Structures are given as C-alpha cells and as structure tokens.
Amino acid sequence: MGSCSSHFLSVDHVDEAFFLSLHQRALNVESDSDFSRQHLLKHEIVANIFLEASTRTMISFECALHRLGAQTVRIDAHTSSLSKNESLYDTLLTLRAMGIRLFVIRSSNSRLEDIARTEFGNTIHMINAGDGSAGHPTQAMLDASVLLQQWGHFSGKTLAIIGDVNRSRVARSNVALLCSFGVNVNVYGPPDLLPTQSWHTNMNVCRTFEEATQDADAVMMLRVQQERNTNQKTFNLDGHYLDRYGMTLPRLESLKKDAWLMHPGPTNRGVELQSELVEHPRSLISKQVSRGVSMRMAIVMDLMGVAA
Ligand code: CP
C-alpha cells in the first residue's frame, strides 16, 4: 500500500516502507507539544460509526481527528436507523449526501471490502476500526510502532500472543503485519480458543505457556471474548484461568530480562493478567494507548492526502 489509498481496511497491503513512514509520522506528531496540525482537516466532518462497544479505539480516533481540526459525529447501533434495519451501505450513502467523506467503522461483520468495491466506495474513505474477529488494522499498526520503538528492529524478534487467539481480530492483524516484517509470533491459550493451524509461516501454535514465552521479546495478553461465544460455551474465568493461561508476576520475572508486556485492552484484571502488572514498569499498555492517537493521526493524514 502506498500513500493516498482510498481506504484503510486491513494490513494485508501494508509493506514495511509504508509502515515505517507512518511510524515516523506518528513519532513526529508525538514530539510536537502544540496543535499545529489543527488546520489540516478543519473543513471535514467525520463519522465515527461504532456498532460494537469501544473505549480506546473510538476515543482515540476522536482525539486524533480533533487534533487534525476535524469535527466528528458518532453513530451507534441503537439510536441510528441501523436499528430500523437500514443497511450500513445505505447509512454511508445517506451521510455522504450530507457532505461526510471519511468514515471510521467498527462492527461485528461490516463487509467494508464489498462496499469499497462499489462505485460509491471510490467517493468516500473508510477506516476499519475493528471488524468482528476478522481484523483490527489500526491496532496492529500502533502495536507494531510501539514494538519497533522498544526493539529498534523487527527481524528475528519474537512476540508471544496468549489467550483467546482464534477469535481475536487484534491477533489476526498483528500476525499478518508482524510476521510479514520477519517477527516470529508464538501463540498459546486454552485449546478451544487456539487456531487449529498456523496463519503464517512465521507463526507457531504452542503447547505450553513456557514454550510460547521463553524466547519472547514481548508478550501480548488477550481478553477472553465471552461476547463472541457462538457455541454457548462460557469459560470459567476464576483464578484457575490466571493460573493456567494468565500472566503473573513470577511468570513475568521468568521471561527474558528485556521482554515487554502488552495488552490491547480492555484488560480484565485478575483474569488474563495479575492486576498490578497493568502498571508494571515492563508494561507497555499505556504506551499502546498513547501511540493509538498519533498512529491514527498518521493514518488519517495519509488517507486524506494532507501534509504532516
Ligand atoms: N483495543 C481496543 O480495540 O479497545 P476498545 O474495544 O476499547 O476500542
């Protein structure tokens, strides 16, 4: 993917050169204390369409867009005409007629690629802000940016992703992006929540926590997504889960000395990680949230073709 593509729907077309340009732009944005970019989108109204719950991604996009001078409107599943069976396509068509041309969309099954293939799709810009279990490309971009800053390079590094891997859009996008940059990704979790086969040649499905993490340069913990239970099976998330699959202080201390702890959020303290580890000096969780704003500013600037 190069500059000024119409949409940002997946990481599949993000090559390392494009990633590095957005990473550098995100770092530049963070180093500026003023609001010197507030003129860039001052004539834009952007629609944030969030049909699934969100704190980080929704507010992060709003902060990013406001720092670029855009105004934002929010649409949710309950108070919009989506609740009256209007389709997402018709919602976008309606909002475009009001002059909106950038749409940030989170849903459980948005089929944004299908909309992008229509003639209408060429007249708007869409950003995938998390699509069911399929992908969360801006999360992967911010995670990769944080990792590159901590590691200095990607090649030969190992990331362990632990927990509800198979249903995780964060895991899918991170595997696709980081494996393509030469990172090895080890995954581990409850057998029912693991993929049955690898998604990439650089991805390994491990049999124990130790196998997944012993050589890791960072460990990303994932929340069990009870809301995505399709077979009505619920997981018992008492201390047993933390003991078997969670990150505890002894486990953190057994990792490589310079290994980092990550989590895309929201965290369930005491379930997939011991509560106090969220604020541990080796935790990058707050840094991930901060980078979310600057990386999303970088992505929006590129998409809208506005200079840094
Ligand atoms: N990481 C993430 O997507 O968090 P939210 O669901 O709060 O947006």
Side-chain angles (χ1 to χ4, degrees):
M1 183 191 278
S3 285
C4 297
S5 297
S6 279
H7 311 290
F8 195 88
L9 302 183
S10 90
V11 294
D12 290 350
H13 307 293
V14 177
D15 60 25
E16 199 160 351
F18 181 51
F19 167 77
L20 289 174
S21 72
L22 293 185
H23 168 70
Q24 191 54 54
R25 189 176 280 188
L27 295 183
N28 294 346
V29 166
E30 273 180 23
S31 66
D32 288 353
S33 54
D34 61 11
F35 281 67
S36 60
R37 293 174 180 80
Q38 279 201 311
H39 64 287
L40 291 175
L41 292 182
K42 70 177 179 186
H43 299 301
E44 295 287 341
I45 299 176
V46 180
N48 284 324
I49 302 178
F50 276 72
L51 310 180
E52 280 191 342
S54 171
T55 297
R56 270 147 293 275
T57 311
M58 182 172 68
I59 305 302
S60 178
F61 267 111
E62 292 204 3
C63 290
L65 289 160
H66 291 171
R67 287 193 60 183
L68 294 171
Q71 296 179 59
T72 55
V73 291
R74 247 188 235 177
I75 290 148
D76 67 40
H78 306 294
T79 59
S80 69
S81 288
L82 287 155
S83 68
K84 297 184 272 189
N85 288 335
E86 186 165 43
S87 68
L88 180 59
Y89 179 91
D90 284 330
T91 302
L92 299 179
L93 201 60
T94 302
L95 296 176
R96 187 193 60 164
M98 297 178 192
I100 296 177
R101 59 189 189 120
L102 174 59
F103 299 90
V104 177
I105 303 167
R106 165 169 293 193
S107 87
S108 57
N109 183 16
S110 57
R111 296 185 172 276
L112 299 182
E113 305 275 1
D114 290 347
I115 295 172
R117 276 190 282 273
T118 66
E119 202 174 305
F120 160 63
N122 296 330
T123 66
I124 59 170
H125 302 281
M126 295 184 290
I127 299 177
N128 175 359
D131 182 8
S133 297
H136 196 348
T138 63
Q139 178 75 42
M141 292 290 285
L142 74 89
D143 288 339
S145 177
V146 168
L147 284 171
L148 182 59
Q149 192 177 25
Q150 300 306 127
W151 288 345
H153 63 94
F154 286 125
S155 183
K157 292 289 187 182
T158 298
L159 171 70
I161 302 181
I162 310 291
D164 188 351
V165 176
N166 201 37
R167 298 182 296 191
S168 171
R169 55 193 172 207
V170 175
R172 272 173 211 278
S173 291
N174 266 309
V175 165
L177 188 68
L178 290 167
C179 288
S180 76
F181 297 162
V183 175
N184 301 307
V185 179
N186 294 338
V187 303
Y188 175 68
D192 289 347
L193 301 181
L194 278 182
T196 50
Q197 57 187 37
S198 174
W199 302 330
H200 192 282
T201 49
N202 290 348
M203 170 182 161
N204 309 298
V205 182
C206 298
R207 283 162 302 179
T208 65
F209 192 100
E210 287 65 33
E211 182 190 351
T213 58
Q214 63 192 355
D215 296 323
D217 301 291
V219 179
M220 181 182 291
M221 305 306 296
L222 298 176
R223 179 178 66 90
V224 175
Q225 301 181 73
Q226 299 279 32
E227 73 275 19
R228 297 202 198 283
N229 282 339
T230 48
N231 57 5
Q232 302 303 311
K233 180 172 179 180
T234 54
F235 279 81
N236 184 356
L237 299 179
D238 60 13
H240 182 67
Y241 185 90
L242 183 67
D243 288 346
R244 292 197 63 180
Y245 304 109
M247 181 62 79
T248 58
L249 186 58
R251 279 188 169 144
L252 184 68
E253 288 173 343
S254 75
L255 303 178
K256 284 165 76 171
K257 275 203 245 328
D258 53 357
W260 298 100
L261 175 64
M262 303 178 82
H263 195 308
T267 56
N268 283 175
R269 290 172 183 254
V271 179
E272 69 270 12
L273 79 176
Q274 205 175 311
S275 178
E276 54 269 38
L277 298 188
V278 174
E279 295 91 353
H280 191 278
R282 288 164 72 179
S283 165
L284 297 175
I285 295 171
S286 288
K287 201 179 211 1
Q288 290 172 267
V289 176
S290 305
R291 185 61 47 80
V293 176
S294 53
M295 177 52 79
R296 287 173 176 123
M297 286 176 74
I299 290 168
V300 169
M301 282 190 270
D302 179 79
L303 209 54
M304 301 305 281
V306 292

